[in-house]
Amino acid sequence: MEPVNIHAQHAENHGGGTKEIWRITWILTVLTIVELAIGFWMIKIPLDQEGLRLGLKGVIVILMMAKAFYIVAYFMHLKHEIRNMIMTIVVPLALFIWFIIAFLYDGNSYKNLRNTYDPHHKEASTVKGEKKEHGAADHKEGEHKAEEKH
Amino acid sequence: MASTTTATTKWWSGGKSPFNVEYGKLMMWYFLMSDAFTFGAFLIAYGTTRFSTNGWPDPNEVFKSFPFAPEGVHAPLVFVSIMTFILIISSVTMVLAVHAGHNMDRKGVVRNLILTIIGGAAFLGCQAWEWTHLYHEGAWWGSNPFLNHDGSVAISTNFTNFFFTITGFHGFHVLSGVVINIIMLIMTLNGVFDRRGHYLMIEKAGLYWHFVDLVWVFVFTCFYLI
């Protein structure tokens, strides 16, 4: 099969050209700005408002998926490929649905079990610390010197 | 199945590529799919660890500095949003290079490839600065100087380990992407693709570069935003 031949076939389904590229650029820019706006908003929300923080994180994840869709579909041109080809790429990625749910659920369950049955661990993870601002770098150097002595 | 997408062409009757793509491009797609699983596994490991830990540092405290700004400046999200936009713009110039390649427009390919390479190099520069800055604050593999968001002392170095491993792995992909783009630029300048009669190679390099941008969308969200 001639490569030139494929190129000629390929030219049939190019998509929308530069106009489409700029449209997608704007969509990605706006989605990113919205994400950042939510990020800045979240800085001001105190930690104890867990529901609101979790909801906003959910919105950010949805926006992230939208950005991923636009990059893959238009910049990587997948939307304009033929359907069988799209399926060989997208269907295996469905494994991620299980992957994410199962592992995050397991992580959360481990935390709860540990907090219930290992009081020492729970106590150790609630020790409040002093906020280090400038001393951090010196501290690090000090540690290095201590290590060298050993 | 094939008849639903194309009424006239019989893709599977032989004589042509049933996916209507060149072999190398299809293999690039499958490589990227496997790479997506590698990055996915990294990020899910990070998520699992974060879900199983009682406290976690606040990204807005950790990533609050900016180059040339005075010590102790509080500018969360600003630097990383610049990095994000650099990568998005370089992805746009790459797609413009691919588009110019379709039209056999050598000058357009060269111009956009150069812009893409500059964007990639700028991103790497930003990351180098950020790593250096964090290192001087005492953060590295095996060393986590940051307090958790709730004010408690970090009991593990998971946060910095995952941060440096995942952004490092991504940065290495950006570096390889820049090298690939430089090779593509040299080949274009030498007229290799004009002699070949098509610019399909630019498309494959483009797929890789967009994937690097795609991964950053996830890394950026997982480490800096949520």
Side-chain angles (χ1 to χ4, degrees):
Chain A
M1 191 184 312
E2 301 269 305
V4 184
N5 208 0
I6 280 184
H7 189 234
Q9 284 176 9
H10 212 78
E12 291 163 17
N13 44 13
H14 256 189
T18 34
K19 219 175 177 182
E20 185 180 87
I21 296 172
W22 290 117
R23 190 170 66 87
I24 303 306
T25 308
W26 276 111
I27 292 173
L28 287 176
T29 310
V30 169
L31 287 177
T32 308
I33 290 171
V34 174
E35 275 187 341
L36 287 168
I38 296 173
F40 277 112
W41 181 23
M42 265 209 325
I43 297 173
K44 295 198 188 84
I45 301 170
L47 261 187
D48 51 356
Q49 293 193 16
E50 248 176 74
L52 180 61
R53 290 182 69 90
L54 210 62
L56 288 176
K57 285 179 184 185
V59 174
I60 288 175
V61 168
I62 290 166
L63 291 169
M64 169 183 87
M65 298 311 287
K67 278 168 78 178
F69 167 78
Y70 281 111
I71 291 173
V72 174
Y74 294 99
F75 281 4
M76 294 171 88
H77 217 261
L78 193 60
K79 206 177 159 68
H80 301 300
E81 305 292 355
I82 69 172
R83 195 160 170 269
N84 291 328
M85 148 96 183
I86 296 174
M87 287 305 154
T88 62
I89 308 290
V90 173
V91 171
L93 292 179
L95 186 61
F96 271 122
I97 299 169
W98 161 82
F99 201 173
I100 293 168
I101 294 172
F103 275 71
L104 295 190
Y105 185 85
D106 198 42
N108 194 46
S109 154
Y110 179 57
K111 176 175 77 179
N112 292 337
L113 287 173
R114 221 174 167 197
N115 285 340
T116 312
Y117 296 110
D118 185 356
H120 171 72
H121 168 76
K122 198 176 181 193
E123 207 178 299
S125 57
T126 48
V127 177
K128 299 287 170 192
E130 292 276 316
K131 209 177 164 193
K132 301 178 255 196
E133 280 291 338
H134 297 287
D138 308 287
H139 184 65
K140 167 91 185 175
E141 276 160 32
E143 270 181 2
H144 271 304
K145 274 170 200 153
E147 274 169 17
E148 277 160 26
K149 277 177 201 159
H150 282 294
Chain B
M1 186 59 129
S3 59
T4 55
T5 48
T6 43
T8 49
T9 324
K10 285 201 171 78
W11 295 109
W12 297 92
S13 58
K16 60 171 77 71
S17 158
F19 286 165
N20 195 29
V21 285
E22 180 214 6
Y23 176 80
K25 194 172 157 186
L26 188 66
M27 291 305 116
M28 179 54 98
W29 266 110
Y30 291 148
F31 163 69
L32 293 180
M33 190 173 71
S34 74
D35 220 16
F37 276 108
T38 310
F39 270 110
F42 269 137
L43 284 170
I44 290 166
Y46 159 75
T48 307
T49 307
R50 193 169 163 176
F51 268 58
S52 69
T53 311
N54 276 329
W56 202 257
D58 176 14
N60 298 311
E61 274 303 313
V62 177
F63 310 110
K64 64 176 190 289
S65 36
F66 197 84
F68 310 115
E71 192 81 2
V73 68
H74 193 81
L77 284 177
V78 179
F79 190 59
V80 74
S81 49
I82 291 173
M83 284 167 77
T84 303
F85 277 111
I86 288 174
L87 219 52
I88 289 178
I89 298 304
S90 82
S91 215
V92 174
T93 55
M94 189 75 220
V95 95
L96 289 171
V98 172
H99 187 75
H102 279 303
N103 302 330
M104 301 297 286
D105 170 15
R106 183 164 147 187
K107 260 190 185 158
V109 172
V110 169
R111 190 182 60 235
N112 284 304
L113 266 183
I114 289 174
L115 289 173
T116 309
I117 292 164
I118 292 172
F123 181 86
L124 284 173
C126 290
Q127 201 168 44
W129 180 84
E130 188 173 49
W131 272 43
T132 313
H133 176 81
L134 288 172
Y135 178 77
H136 286 303
E137 281 193 327
W140 201 238
W141 278 277
S143 162
N144 179 10
F146 306 111
L147 288 182
N148 289 330
H149 203 164
D150 58 4
S152 60
V153 178
I155 50 170
S156 79
T157 60
N158 287 331
F159 169 70
T160 43
N161 291 352
F162 274 112
F163 175 79
F164 286 111
T165 303
I166 293 176
T167 59
F169 198 57
H170 175 261
F172 186 65
H173 274 75
V174 179
L175 179 68
S176 358
V178 170
V179 171
I180 290 169
N181 284 343
I182 289 173
I183 295 170
M184 290 302 120
L185 178 66
I186 294 168
M187 285 172 88
T188 313
L189 288 171
N190 287 337
V192 175
F193 303 127
D194 281 327
R195 276 197 298 279
R196 225 177 255 180
H198 58 81
Y199 277 79
L200 288 179
M201 206 62 169
I202 302 286
E203 247 178 80
K204 284 171 246 175
L207 281 180
Y208 183 77
W209 190 254
H210 296 313
F211 177 76
V212 166
D213 182 30
L214 177 72
V215 169
W216 181 250
V217 167
F218 288 89
V219 172
F220 163 66
T221 309
C222 292
F223 275 101
Y224 296 85
L225 279 175
I226 63 180

